Amino acid sequence: MTEDRHTPGPDGLDEVPWGDLEDVYGSAESVPGLLTTAFTGDENEAHRALSDLDTNVYHQGGQICSAAPALLPFLLRLAAAADRPAAVRSHALQLVADLGSSGWCARSRFVDPGWPSAWQAVLPEVVALLDDAEAPVRASAAAVLSWAVARADEMLSVLRRRWEAEPDEVTGLSMVEAAAALTDRHPEGEARVSSAEGDVRWLLELRDHGDVDTRMTIGFRSPLLLPDDPVGLAVTAVEGDDPRPPWLRSIYGDHLDDERAMAAALEQRVAEALADRPDDRAELARRLLGSRRAGARVGAVELIAGLVGGFRGAEAEWADTVGPLLAEPWSKRRTRAVQILSVAGEAAAPWADALAERAARVEDTGERHPPGKERAAALFGLARLRDPRVVPLLLKQADEPCLGLSAARSHGGGWLFSPALPDVLGLLATEADALLPVLAELLRGPKDGMLAALATVGEWGPLAAPLADGVAALLEGSDHPSRELAVLAAIGPAAARHAPLVRWFTGPENDGSAALAFWRLTGDAAGALALLEEVGPRRWGPYWTLLAELGAVAARHVDAAREEAEKGNPPAVLAYWRLTGDADTALSALLDGGYAPLGGGVHSWTGPAAVRVVEEMGAAAAPALPRLRELRAAPRRPGNLSSGWRDVADDRDLLALLDRAIARVGGG
């Protein structure tokens, strides 16, 4: 919609110097126009304006920009405007709640100094809206108050009073939900629950003795508030006669159909509350797999997926349970089962025929989760099993872009995204002869396929030597030469004829990848070091990887290597170790402190890279052995509750790394 600059906005809007304030993206000069539309536009226009305000001022949270304090009173005036649609007023309060979450959770240096006083000033207005005539407004006001943690006792009393007077059952659940959230968010929440004093006692009595909907709303708000028998409560709540019980409506309203709402509640609310209780999650999944409710059956598989994504060994434990679901007619359960089996390793072998059948189904039926997603997961599983059918199944789609797979890898989204072409073909280097023509064609084609092929070639290394000319041709006109240089470096001496071209890309603007490629193509240590010195020290890996590979030739850079190593950069640690043999400094960089790659956990690429450094150090890394064993024995995978298939696959590779490192360091 084009904003009408002549439409009068709310009083006082022009008195705020919006151009001097900032939203997340810069100047907040767009805020008054969006506010005017929210106050005066029709319902759809107002919702779009509020969504834009949310994007501009809240975005994804983590900060309070200078426009937020000025915006807050206008949002409360909109929320109190009885002549505006209830949904718009509720939407305005949802934005206030979003900002309240940032104001409470963000680090102080990211919070505008004017926010605390602005937040405190509007709380009485929010409290007044708990008595509004419209139920959605009352519920959204309660959500705002759930972030008034600094005044938790007062707000608990207010919410209790509203709950006692609330005529609408679902809105009443919003009050106890907000009270539970306040209790959970309080810095002394655990102690407050243990002492059960004041209105916290009221909340806990409702959790233990209220009706099923109230107990479900409170008991699964957080791990802190779980009841004595969470599995029994969840089964009772899910298997009741009402397909959309009040506790479910209080979470999703009418935004999802009954079955999707039930599945989402189990996957998100229930699974998150049981995050540290895998046995309970497993029991609940088993009890709901055969539920009469389709949404509960889907939710059960999602619970299993969460266990597989989060806990080591769960993929093998659940393989035979989800295997029969490959014949499931409802695609969401079947798709998730295929994904779980795709990372189950040898435990998926009994289901290889069923995986091959799913991989062979290429038609799009128009379902919400089409076979293309299943096919990608099935091919990935077959590739991990080294099943001989995987290459013919891939070539069956040779005329499709990227063989019918996604081009780009995704590293987020849990189970949402499927394996891409590099994920599958990266496992098939031993089948290079059959697949090289396909990759050669992709390198000559559109950019998406070209990037996918480059990623695959980089993983194949010397086995992709016949493609070196194609990669070099791309390098000549590349907008990101480090990408092609890394691939040529991976191919190595077989691409030596392209060394003059590689050398042309060296210089201060390069990250060291050209010098590294030149070294690997030619073996010319002095020449590579000279090229590297044109670059100067960089944070990025190629620079330090080359120093590590050059060894004594690069001895004059030992001080720079030590400085970078002490920041916990694994390639720099390896370079420093090779140059000095100083195990104490190297191990301290890897192990000491919460941000050291092996100190606070194993995350991203740095953890596995650090394990490789320790493996190379061998017996000199003996002080790291207890930490390596601790990481190997940990029941949880690195990641979080939303971990998906990639986390499982990466963790299996990490476990193999840890096994090798422990054997070498421990002398086994």
Side-chain angles (χ1 to χ4, degrees):
M1 160 183 169
T2 301
E3 296 169 8
D4 183 358
R5 297 181 180 273
H6 301 289
T7 301
D11 292 342
L13 190 62
D14 294 338
E15 298 174 9
V16 178
W18 297 105
D20 297 333
L21 302 176
E22 291 189 346
D23 63 17
V24 173
Y25 298 100
S27 172
E29 58 187 8
S30 66
V31 169
L34 293 170
L35 271 174
T36 297
T37 301
F39 271 89
T40 62
D42 65 29
E43 186 168 351
N44 288 334
E45 292 169 343
H47 281 304
R48 284 197 294 271
L50 286 167
S51 294
D52 288 344
L53 280 170
D54 193 291
T55 298
N56 291 356
V57 180
Y58 170 72
H59 189 47
Q60 295 178 343
Q63 64 175 311
I64 292 290
C65 57
S66 60
L71 173 64
L72 205 52
F74 291 101
L75 291 175
L76 264 296
R77 285 168 58 185
L78 177 58
D83 60 334
R84 298 299 287 155
V88 171
R89 299 168 61 204
S90 176
H91 194 165
L93 285 170
Q94 290 165 22
L95 175 50
V96 176
D98 284 344
L99 292 171
S101 71
S102 285
W104 177 253
C105 298
R107 296 180 180 179
S108 58
R109 69 176 183 271
F110 298 125
V111 177
D112 184 81
W115 175 256
S117 59
W119 173 250
Q120 293 300 325
V122 300
L123 288 180
E125 300 175 58
V126 180
V127 170
L129 290 172
L130 288 178
D131 295 319
D132 194 85
E134 299 288 352
V137 174
R138 299 196 298 272
S140 295
V144 174
L145 296 179
S146 75
W147 290 105
V149 185
R151 295 166 63 177
D153 290 334
E154 175 188 351
M155 295 307 156
L156 279 175
S157 179
V158 166
L159 290 165
R160 177 177 181 176
R161 186 266 306 167
R162 179 64 247 177
W163 171 79
E164 290 171 344
E166 178 57 55
D168 180 71
E169 182 179 14
V170 173
T171 307
L173 293 175
S174 298
M175 303 302 149
V176 296
E177 155 86 13
L182 263 175
T183 302
D184 176 50
R185 291 166 183 156
H186 197 282
E188 299 175 0
E190 186 174 357
R192 291 163 70 89
V193 170
S194 297
S195 62
E197 296 178 354
D199 287 312
V200 175
R201 178 179 298 176
W202 156 74
L203 191 66
L204 296 177
E205 287 177 350
L206 283 180
R207 180 200 65 184
D208 295 335
H209 305 295
D211 59 39
V212 169
D213 294 290
T214 303
R215 295 177 62 213
M216 193 73 182
T217 300
I218 300 170
F220 284 97
R221 181 56 190 76
S222 81
L224 183 65
L225 294 167
L226 281 170
D228 290 337
D229 181 17
V231 174
L233 173 59
V235 171
T236 299
V238 168
E239 300 286 35
D241 293 333
D242 188 346
R244 197 181 190 87
W247 69 268
L248 195 58
R249 281 183 279 145
S250 72
I251 302 174
Y252 298 110
D254 298 322
H255 300 303
L256 301 175
D257 62 47
D258 295 348
E259 304 303 346
R260 288 177 60 201
M262 185 67 77
L266 288 168
E267 179 185 3
Q268 299 167 9
R269 183 66 61 90
V270 174
E272 289 179 10
L274 296 174
D276 295 321
R277 300 173 66 158
D279 291 344
D280 282 341
R281 287 164 65 187
E283 180 187 352
L284 182 58
R286 292 187 181 96
R287 291 178 66 174
L288 293 180
L289 273 171
S291 172
R292 61 194 176 114
R293 301 204 182 283
R297 296 196 300 272
V298 171
V301 178
E302 297 296 349
L303 286 168
I304 294 170
L307 289 166
V308 170
F311 292 88
R312 289 171 168 169
E315 67 275 25
E317 177 185 349
W318 289 99
D320 288 342
T321 299
V322 302
L325 298 181
L326 268 61
E328 174 82 26
W330 198 12
S331 65
K332 186 166 184 178
R333 270 167 47 105
R334 186 182 65 234
T335 298
R336 197 66 79 234
V338 173
Q339 290 178 317
I340 292 170
L341 286 171
S342 75
V343 291
E346 289 303 317
W351 306 98
D353 290 347
L355 286 173
E357 181 182 353
R358 299 316 306 177
R361 292 175 178 263
V362 297
E363 76 281 2
D364 188 341
T365 64
E367 293 179 300
R368 182 173 176 80
H369 293 269
K373 189 170 188 177
E374 294 177 11
R375 179 174 182 268
L379 287 168
F380 185 68
L382 292 171
R384 290 190 74 89
L385 286 170
R386 302 293 189 265
D387 191 289
R389 290 168 286 192
V390 66
V391 171
L393 285 166
L394 282 164
L395 295 178
K396 183 179 179 181
Q397 291 290 101
D399 294 335
E400 294 291 321
C402 290
L403 306 181
L405 297 169
S406 298
R409 285 172 163 155
S410 171
H411 292 274
W415 298 91
L416 182 61
F417 297 99
S418 297
L421 182 83
D423 295 311
V424 178
L425 266 61
L427 299 169
L428 299 173
T430 56
E431 306 295 331
D433 289 346
L435 294 169
L436 281 171
V438 175
L439 289 174
E441 187 67 27
L442 287 171
L443 288 174
R444 294 189 293 267
K447 185 173 183 178
D448 284 353
M450 177 268 288
L451 293 177
L454 278 176
T456 301
V457 173
E459 293 194 19
W460 283 9
L463 291 174
L467 301 176
D469 292 348
V471 175
L474 292 171
L475 175 61
E476 293 188 54
S478 177
D479 58 352
H480 188 60
S482 294
R483 182 178 54 216
E484 287 86 4
L485 288 166
V487 174
L488 289 173
I491 291 173
R497 59 189 174 279
H498 300 296
L501 174 63
V502 166
R503 185 168 190 155
W504 188 80
F505 283 90
T506 59
E509 70 283 354
N510 188 261
D511 61 1
S513 54
L516 177 61
F518 182 83
W519 155 248
R520 290 190 178 172
L521 267 58
T522 66
D524 179 356
L529 183 60
L531 295 176
L532 192 67
E533 290 174 339
E534 293 182 27
V535 175
R538 296 296 173 93
R539 175 69 176 167
W540 308 112
Y543 182 93
W544 306 105
T545 297
L546 178 53
L547 282 185
E549 293 185 11
L550 291 177
V553 174
R556 60 180 175 268
H557 295 284
V558 66
D559 290 339
R562 177 174 184 145
E563 181 179 352
E564 185 64 24
E566 289 175 345
K567 298 175 184 177
N569 186 337
V573 175
L574 182 60
Y576 178 77
W577 158 252
R578 288 182 177 174
L579 289 170
T580 67
D582 179 358
D584 290 343
T585 299
L587 291 176
S588 178
L590 298 177
L591 295 168
D592 294 342
Y595 294 99
L598 298 180
V602 177
H603 302 285
S604 185
W605 68 272
T606 57
V611 175
R612 292 187 185 95
V613 176
V614 174
E615 179 185 4
E616 177 170 325
M617 292 175 67
L625 201 53
R627 179 59 176 152
L628 295 177
R629 287 174 173 155
E630 179 185 2
L631 292 170
R632 181 61 177 85
R636 283 187 178 274
R637 304 187 196 280
N640 52 53
L641 187 64
S642 64
S643 295
W645 64 268
R646 185 180 298 284
D647 301 273
V648 182
D650 289 349
D651 188 45
R652 291 173 73 88
D653 295 339
L654 173 63
L655 290 174
L657 271 176
L658 286 167
D659 285 340
R660 293 201 303 270
I662 290 169
R664 189 157 192 271
V665 174

